[in-house]
Amino acid sequence: MKSYREAGEGRLGAIIWLGILIFVGLSAYEWVPLRVKVAELEDHMVDLTQRAHNVPVKAIKKDILTRAEELGIPLTKDNLDVQYVAGRIKMNAEYILPVDLPFYTFNWKVDHKVDRPVFVI
């Protein structure tokens, strides 16, 4: 019976695939929670549009900034725009979210755009 070395087989491929699997796992460990936080902020912005018919712009901005702070998202009032335009509410939030991957920090540019009609109840 031949050993794996005599048969020309090696474990290098398994080690490389294991390294790739570890890299992907660590990346997902950092990336997935950030994706969830970003989705929660956008959902919050959409929810605000449903009850925005009598709410001042300043109050909406404050609510969005408070929620972003709770989620640990680096959104500032300079990067947030809320406007009522012709029976619609338009929100735009832009920020850069650093994603710490193994051996690299990726700066993810996030841009939320919400444009919904305002319904008077």
Side-chain angles (χ1 to χ4, degrees), residues 72-87:
I73 293 176
L75 179 64
T76 63
K77 63 182 178 180
D78 298 332
N79 299 345
L80 177 63
D81 184 37
V82 178
Q83 298 177 6
Y84 287 108
V85 179

Side-chain angles (χ1 to χ4, degrees), residues 82-99:
V82 178
Q83 298 177 6
Y84 287 108
V85 179
R88 301 185 72 80
I89 184 166
K90 296 183 178 192
M91 300 180 191
N92 187 26
E94 296 179 1
Y95 53 92
I96 295 176
L97 196 59
V99 182

Side-chain angles (χ1 to χ4, degrees), residues 40-41 44 62-73:
E40 283 183 28
L41 181 62
H44 183 70
K62 183 179 178 187
D63 194 346
I64 293 170
L65 291 171
T66 301
R67 185 66 180 142
E69 185 178 343
E70 290 170 359
L71 293 170
I73 293 176

